Amino acid sequence: MLVSKNVEELKPYQPGKPIKEVERELGISDAIKLASNENPMGSSPKAIEAVRSILAEANRYPEGGCYYLRKKLAFLLKMPEESIVFGNGSNEIIELIIRTFVQPGEEILYFDPSFAVYPIIAKAADRNYRAVPLRPTTFEMNVDDMMDAIGESTKVLFLTTPNNPVGNYIPYPQLKRLVEEVSTDILVCVDEAYVEYATQDDCRSVLDLIRQHPNLVVMRTFSKAYGLSGYRIGYAVGSAEIIGYLNKTRQPFNVNLLAQTAAEGALDDVEFLTASVENNSQGLELITATLDRLGIGYVPSQANFILIHTGGDGSEVFQGLMQRGIIVRHIPHPMITEYVRVTVGTPEENAQFIARFEEVMRQLGRIA
Ligand SMILES: Cc1ncc(COP(=O)(O)O)c(C=O)c1O
């Protein structure tokens, strides 16, 4: 056999449909993409300017360890430089963690549904993975369920908070309790891809727990609130020992020059970050107020997207919106077949979405 059984069986990640593809298929030119939790405000102007200024320097390899970016981020996070490693998106960080720490016969645990990539990477690497279901109806990520699921061979926990695709979160005191109670032989990886958007007091980063808990790793990304999805850059923060191992196993130039430069520019642009977060809060308010008015259910969100209950097969709503040039996401998971996940857009995009969504829901007889 050309490949091993795990690779043969692997079902690759299904990304949101690209705008250009939808426009080609529908013969339109103004499709709206609210499917991949990207930043609708674009990229930070400071990031764009920084990238422009180094375009002619790409004949040289980039700094392998992201020297300047790491210095800047360490200062901002008040963490030692040796406690940060960057990746080609946090996707690469997830892959590095699994390849570096999970040995044959060991397993990862994750809540289900959460970010679809954890089990895909584990399977590709021929490592075991086990899902801990969210609580039915509430979609709660119950930390006791996670701790009860831990077995002899458990090596890494992936906890996504705020959770994609649900938008809910694990309250800080519960996360803290989990980190304190879990064996120090197990790596607790908290995926904070959406943490910048959080507004609830108890939905916050666990970065402050790293010093006391060397088995805790926080993963972050520049793809969301910083608006740099296309550059591909994310990072992990953890003990110098853990990060040291990840530095050993990463490729020598895993983060390209443009990505490093864009991220440096974005970190300087507090104004853009604040505006992005503000746009998101206002968008969520508008969308949830509309859903409340229409009597449509949803999961309150701490992220830049919202999981909406369509009152029937969610794929019909997904299709109806697609035909109207609005790309959202219907996630093929049995717990959320009646939902669509919608990324918060610009005010204009949100207004378009609301108008078309009402239209589709009416046409399907889901609302009066
Ligand atoms: C929870 C979560 N983690 C990680 C990622 C990956 O982000 P990146 O673009 O940094 O690879 C995503 C992207 O959607 C995500 O939702």
Side-chain angles (χ1 to χ4, degrees), residues 32 34 40 279-280 282-284 286-287 342-356:
I32 294 175
L34 303 174
N279 175 72
N280 192 64
Q282 287 176 5
L284 276 177
L286 175 76
I287 295 169
V342 181
T343 305
V344 175
T346 60
E348 300 73 36
E349 289 172 336
N350 296 333
Q352 276 293 323
F353 161 71
I354 287 168
R356 301 287 92 81

Side-chain angles (χ1 to χ4, degrees), residues 280-351:
N280 192 64
S281 297
Q282 287 176 5
L284 276 177
E285 254 172 55
L286 175 76
I287 295 169
T288 53
T290 308
L291 296 172
D292 288 339
R293 172 172 60 77
L294 296 169
I296 294 171
Y298 58 88
V299 183
S301 174
Q302 286 292 290
N304 67 343
F305 56 85
I306 183 159
L307 194 66
I308 300 176
H309 188 230
T310 68
D313 181 357
S315 70
E316 292 175 2
V317 175
F318 163 83
Q319 284 301 343
L321 286 167
M322 182 70 87
Q323 281 153 12
R324 289 161 175 81
I326 298 186
I327 317 165
V328 299
R329 202 69 164 268
H330 177 251
I331 289 153
H333 186 287
M335 265 180 111
I336 51 174
T337 52
E338 295 196 345
Y339 290 78
V340 288
R341 193 196 67 189
V342 181
T343 305
V344 175
T346 60
E348 300 73 36
E349 289 172 336
N350 296 333

Side-chain angles (χ1 to χ4, degrees), residues 13 35-38 87-94 114-118 159-165 191-194 219-224 228-235 304-305 329 341:
Y13 180 73
S36 299
N37 305 339
E38 295 147 337
N88 184 40
S90 47
N91 265 286
E92 190 194 13
I93 298 288
I94 297 165
S114 70
F115 191 41
V117 162
Y118 316 128
L159 307 172
T160 322
T161 179
N163 188 16
N164 175 17
D191 188 339
E192 297 187 349
Y194 301 97
M219 302 188 293
R220 295 253 185 100
T221 181
F222 284 93
S223 295
K224 310 297 173 184
L228 302 179
S229 302
Y231 288 93
R232 311 302 304 128
I233 180 160
Y235 61 93
N304 67 343
F305 56 85
R329 202 69 164 268
R341 193 196 67 189

Side-chain angles (χ1 to χ4, degrees), residues 93-108:
I93 298 288
I94 297 165
E95 180 159 29
L96 282 173
I97 288 173
I98 292 177
R99 275 205 291 118
T100 308
F101 297 107
V102 187
Q103 294 167 46
E106 294 181 332
E107 65 173 7
I108 66 159

Side-chain angles (χ1 to χ4, degrees), residues 151-192:
E152 283 287 297
S153 64
T154 305
K155 187 59 172 287
V156 174
L157 312 182
F158 283 105
L159 307 172
T160 322
T161 179
N163 188 16
N164 175 17
V166 180
N168 61 350
Y169 65 100
I170 305 174
Y172 179 88
Q174 292 181 29
L175 259 183
K176 186 165 185 278
R177 180 164 67 82
L178 178 140
V179 173
E180 284 166 355
E181 290 182 14
V182 162
S183 155
T184 51
D185 298 336
I186 294 174
L187 224 56
V188 180
C189 297
V190 181
D191 188 339
E192 297 187 349

Side-chain angles (χ1 to χ4, degrees), residues 266-284:
L267 284 180
D268 287 336
D269 203 341
V270 178
E271 213 176 299
F272 177 80
L273 180 67
T274 310
S276 298
V277 170
E278 185 55 31
N279 175 72
N280 192 64
S281 297
Q282 287 176 5
L284 276 177

